[in-house]
Amino acid sequence: MRTEDLLAAIATGLWRWDSVSGAVSYDAEAARLVGLPAEPVTLPEAAARACFHPADWLEIKAIVDLAVAEGTLAEARLRIVDEKGTVLRTVRTRSRPIARGGSEDGYYLLGTLQEVPDPLPGTSAAGPPVTGDWRRNREAFLLDAGRALAEAMSTAEVLRVAAGLSMPGFSPEGLAVFGVQGERISVIGHHGPRPGADHPFHDIALGTDYPAAEVVRTGRAVYLPTPEEYRGRFPAAWSLGRPRKRRSWAFLPLIVAGRTIGAWMAGFAHPVSFSPDERSVLTTIARMLAQALSRTALQETERELADGLQRSMLPASKPDIPGLTVAARYVPTGGGLQVGGDWYDVIGLPSGRTALVIGDVQGHDVHAAGIMGQLRIAVRAYASEGHHPDAVLSRASRFLAGLSALDGPDGPDGRYGPRFATCLYMEVDPVAGTLDIARAGHPDPAVRLADGTMMIRPTAGGLPLGIDPDTDYPTTRVVLEPGETLLMCTDGLIETGGHDLETGWDRIRKVFERPATLTDDPGALPSHGLGSDDLEALADSLVQAVHGPPSHHTTGPLADRREDDIALLLIRREAEVCLVGPGSAPVRRTAVTVAQAEPERIAGTRQQLRDMLHDWADPDQVESAVLMLSELVTNVLVHTDGDALLVAEVSGRHGSRRLRLDVADSSDELPHRRRPGELASSGRGLLLLEMLADNWGVDPRGDGKCIWYELYEASPNARPDPAADGSAPRA
């Protein structure tokens, strides 16, 4: 006799569901029970679903998913309805998932159907209801738990979330999470009684007769609804642990990508039958907990790797340069391994001077970090040989170009191509305060003057390293006066947050200038007693302005991006004692050289003068000063064969200050007054000085001459006494 005939004799039908095709097959008895003609039939999933109450279909789907995960039987009660939704009968189904031959993902679900009598009035069917508040509470709980676990950023946070889980209808009295290390498992987090390393199962071998160990070995959950079942299945564990205060236990595997990474235990102070709904909740929580633990463990490993790699590539200790205070920061802010190509270094030179270098290799990945490490070592080696800044960068560019040639157009493995790097190299003479700077495509440095004003120091430069191995890198000499602070940084400090160079420097200016001002009064004197702690605080403030909470209120005009690294170096030349006398204000000074071959730098000198006069009372005077500057420097480049050396100085207190600007050249020929016609294109330089300057003159020198002019912030009648600052105006 066939099995179908035997089952039909006891009013039991057979059915099968294919998870791949979705087809549902009934034998004759099963078809009759679901309201179809009593003959074998195969239906698509949608047609089979129409035979069941909608709420019951959702219930059986959840139970089947749980059975597939646990490899157990799926059992449920289902209501059969007709086309109008009228309930015809109630059936009970038992089914078991069976893997499809040759398929890793699909399975067959084989089961039986049997009619059961409706419950009598005043009684209820065994097991929890399939609809109602319990399901809604369960769904809300799972949503909240999933959100909390997804937002956890560390293993400790995941464990705190797991310890605070309060499940609907059967809250656990104690929780424990076990991790696997080799052939041992140990408790990595717990909540409830019996904490601490003195617990007998805090750290045990994987082969121990303990529920958590069995779960890890087999990858299947263990449910112990009663103490008797616990004692019967695990007598050794029961005798050692003696968990007398709990009445039920659930041990579930933590599985990620088919690999068991640990186990999760939930203990209950009241009896729990572990119905399909309850097992479904526990299984879902175990899945979410496993994913969260795996994600945070990977992030912590990557973070530790990134920090270790970056620390190995940065100076091991804070540099000590006599006469200078130095502060440095490196902030990895990208995703993934959080390793980029930004770096800085402080190098002792054979001459006794110190070199400061900051750079940025193209890209934000492990390959960029590797190139950065090689380039940093190369720059340090060339500098230690005693080469000048221009030679150091030239050799470094050839070195990087050689690395790119080895990589080829697409890299050795088809993923990495040639890389370039920007770099700013500075040789510091702390005694004289001179800085010899060579720049390879890197942002210019910025200087905060003694009175708190920030100015960007334009420097000559060449292409980024690695693009053209024969590129020259001219050197620019800058003087750092006592009390002044210089900032070197990578573009991450400037452009992060949707900024371009202009708006990024404006944001930095607000922070960079702030520490030097004691009050909001524009005439207030700045502080000259800034110590090393103040420089460290300034470095922190610059980073916070870009990546801290305030940065979200200062986004730029471009698309916001926060994935770039930040490297910065701050150096301050210590102010001398009694730098300024009582009642005096510090001098604001800048010096720039414009070479014959670089007339385009005149635009930069004009911008520097505007930066110096950013708080000047009369904007018209500022424009007059810029016009005269442009005229004097242009005359030097046009009428002489040498370079123009420009020195601008602002002295006095706010509201009554004096601007003096000197333009020196190597020509002995003195300027003379001309009377240009209406169509003449030159000859108006001295006329402009007479009309716009409060005072001007020409000073012959042994190796050339100097043309100068002065502007006073107040009206001519309120000019300060020239003797007060030690210089008298000359006609």
Side-chain angles (χ1 to χ4, degrees):
M1 179 179 292
R2 295 188 310 164
T3 303
E4 292 86 345
D5 297 334
L6 181 61
L7 292 175
I10 57 174
T12 301
L14 287 175
W15 62 276
R16 185 180 72 169
W17 177 62
D18 188 340
S19 67
V20 176
S21 65
V24 180
S25 301
Y26 298 113
D27 68 0
E29 182 62 20
R32 182 190 69 80
L33 290 174
V34 299
L36 300 174
E39 58 186 26
V41 63
T42 299
L43 302 175
E45 184 175 329
R49 183 172 53 193
C51 300
F52 300 95
H53 193 284
D56 296 356
W57 178 263
L58 294 177
E59 182 70 17
I60 188 62
K61 288 283 289 183
I63 293 174
V64 167
D65 291 340
L66 178 63
V68 171
E70 297 183 349
T72 58
L73 284 175
E75 183 175 353
R77 294 188 177 220
L78 304 170
R79 287 167 289 182
I80 306 300
V81 297
D82 59 14
E83 296 178 356
K84 297 180 180 180
T86 303
V87 177
L88 300 178
R89 63 182 59 87
T90 300
V91 298
R92 180 175 61 188
T93 177
R94 289 188 178 94
S95 58
R96 177 183 294 276
I98 299 176
R100 292 168 54 96
S103 174
E104 296 181 356
D105 300 324
Y107 57 89
Y108 292 114
L109 199 65
L110 301 179
T112 61
L113 283 177
Q114 188 176 28
E115 185 173 2
V116 295
D118 294 331
L120 298 175
T123 64
S124 60
V130 294
T131 59
D133 292 340
W134 195 91
R135 175 180 288 136
R136 288 191 292 270
N137 292 339
R138 180 188 68 180
E139 292 173 352
F141 161 74
L142 292 176
L143 286 174
D144 290 341
R147 175 190 53 78
L149 290 171
E151 292 176 355
M153 300 305 296
S154 67
T155 300
E157 290 184 29
V158 172
L159 296 176
R160 281 197 296 269
V161 171
L165 294 176
S166 180
M167 303 177 194
F170 63 115
S171 296
E173 179 262 351
L175 298 168
V177 177
F178 299 84
V180 181
Q181 290 185 346
E183 293 299 318
R184 302 189 68 82
I185 64 173
S186 60
V187 177
I188 61 175
H190 54 77
H191 171 69
R194 301 297 304 259
D198 59 339
H199 192 279
F201 303 112
H202 180 81
D203 184 7
I204 60 176
L206 194 57
T208 305
D209 184 24
Y210 181 62
E214 179 173 318
V215 165
V216 173
R217 292 195 304 266
T218 63
R220 292 192 174 185
V222 172
Y223 297 103
L224 304 171
T226 64
E228 291 74 20
E229 185 165 351
Y230 193 143
R231 184 170 52 247
R233 291 186 60 180
F234 303 97
W238 177 267
S239 60
L240 286 176
R242 298 187 178 275
R244 301 289 191 265
K245 294 182 179 180
R246 294 172 183 166
R247 310 303 299 170
S248 298
W249 300 262
F251 293 83
L252 295 98
L254 300 176
I255 301 176
V256 177
R259 183 173 62 92
T260 302
I261 64 171
W264 177 52
M265 185 276 291
F268 301 87
H270 57 279
V272 178
S273 62
F274 297 116
S275 66
D277 282 313
E278 292 166 343
R279 297 204 310 273
S280 176
V281 170
L282 292 169
T283 302
T284 303
I285 290 297
R287 290 174 178 172
M288 293 190 295
L289 183 59
Q291 293 292 335
L293 288 173
S294 176
R295 171 177 54 81
T296 55
L298 179 61
Q299 290 175 347
E300 290 170 354
T301 301
E302 291 176 345
R303 192 178 302 117
E304 183 178 355
L305 172 61
D307 292 344
L309 177 61
Q310 200 64 52
R311 281 195 300 268
S312 68
M313 295 182 180
L314 296 178
S317 60
K318 183 179 179 180
D320 184 15
I321 306 176
L324 295 178
T325 303
V326 181
R329 292 291 184 275
Y330 173 78
V331 183
T333 57
L337 284 179
Q338 296 189 343
V339 178
D342 294 25
W343 93 96
Y344 68 87
D345 205 353
V346 182
I347 308 169
L349 303 179
S351 62
R353 298 182 179 184
T354 302
L356 303 177
V357 57
I358 193 167
D360 184 2
V361 176
Q362 173 201 10
H364 193 280
D365 49 34
V366 177
H367 189 53
I371 292 180
M372 177 265 286
Q374 297 178 77
L375 183 60
R376 173 180 174 270
I377 294 172
V379 171
R380 174 174 278 270
Y382 297 140
S384 299
E385 290 175 353
H387 297 292
H388 291 294
D390 55 342
V392 170
L393 291 192
S394 295
R395 284 167 167 76
S397 183
R398 285 193 289 271
F399 172 80
L400 185 55
L403 289 181
S404 299
L406 292 176
D407 280 349
D410 297 318
D413 57 0
R415 293 187 301 165
Y416 300 125
R419 302 291 180 101
F420 63 84
T422 65
C423 186
L424 185 69
Y425 183 94
M426 178 185 304
E427 186 174 314
V428 182
D429 184 348
V431 177
T434 58
L435 312 173
D436 293 330
I437 303 173
R439 186 171 60 87
H442 203 81
D444 285 306
V447 175
R448 189 179 72 190
L449 305 181
D451 69 339
T453 300
M454 189 196 92
M455 296 182 60
I456 300 174
R457 293 289 193 188
T459 56
L463 294 173
L465 305 178
I467 293 181
D468 183 356
D470 298 324
T471 299
D472 293 328
Y473 296 96
T475 302
T476 302
R477 171 161 291 186
V478 173
V479 177
L480 192 65
E481 300 290 344
E484 293 184 346
T485 303
L486 182 137
L487 166 66
M488 307 163 60
C489 65
T490 57
D491 59 354
L493 186 69
I494 303 172
E495 298 179 347
T496 297
H499 287 273
D500 53 23
L501 280 176
E502 181 177 356
T503 62
W505 277 122
D506 288 341
R507 176 177 58 175
I508 292 174
R509 183 188 306 276
K510 297 175 183 177
V511 180
F512 200 28
E513 293 181 342
R514 190 185 305 152
T517 303
L518 296 179
T519 68
D520 294 333
D521 179 10
L525 295 180
S527 170
H528 298 286
L530 297 177
S532 60
D533 292 341
D534 299 295
L535 202 64
E536 295 291 337
L538 176 58
D540 291 335
S541 298
L542 289 170
V543 173
Q544 285 295 309
V546 176
H547 280 285
S551 67
H552 296 279
H553 304 287
T554 58
T555 55
L558 307 177
D560 191 356
R561 62 181 182 90
R562 299 182 180 273
E563 76 280 3
D564 206 358
D565 294 350
I566 293 176
L568 66 90
L569 273 170
L570 288 169
I571 60 171
R572 184 180 65 244
R573 189 179 180 193
E574 299 299 342
E576 300 174 358
V577 179
C578 298
L579 179 64
V580 293
S584 300
V587 174
R588 188 183 301 178
R589 181 185 295 112
T590 186
V592 181
T593 299
V594 180
Q596 279 282 334
E598 298 177 323
E600 65 276 3
R601 295 194 62 191
I602 297 178
T605 61
R606 290 196 293 260
Q607 184 59 46
Q608 280 204 74
L609 186 57
R610 286 193 175 94
D611 291 342
M612 282 192 68
L613 303 178
H614 69 95
D615 55 353
W616 198 264
D618 187 357
D620 291 337
Q621 279 190 312
V622 175
E623 294 305 317
S624 297
V626 172
L627 177 60
M628 289 186 287
L629 161 69
S630 184
E631 181 68 25
L632 293 180
V633 175
T634 302
N635 281 343
V636 171
L637 299 185
V638 171
H639 299 294
T640 73
D641 295 330
D643 303 335
L645 173 62
L646 179 148
V647 178
E649 179 181 287
V650 177
S651 59
R653 294 182 61 84
H654 193 279
S656 58
R657 290 174 293 184
R658 181 194 72 174
L659 166 67
R660 179 184 174 97
L661 188 139
D662 296 2
V663 178
D665 62 73
S666 59
S667 173
D668 295 331
E669 182 180 354
L670 298 179
H672 56 276
R673 195 184 308 274
R674 300 166 59 186
R675 297 185 179 277
E678 295 182 358
L679 301 180
S681 59
S682 62
R684 297 183 175 84
L686 298 183
L687 295 178
L688 286 175
L689 290 177
E690 288 182 348
M691 294 175 59
L692 301 178
D694 291 327
N695 198 8
W696 69 278
V698 181
D699 293 341
R701 296 181 176 177
D703 56 350
K705 64 181 181 296
C706 173
I707 306 178
W708 57 270
Y709 71 81
E710 294 177 344
L711 284 178
Y712 301 99
E713 196 171 18
S715 62
N717 295 331
R719 291 177 185 173
D721 182 5
D725 55 23
S727 62
R730 289 166 285 182

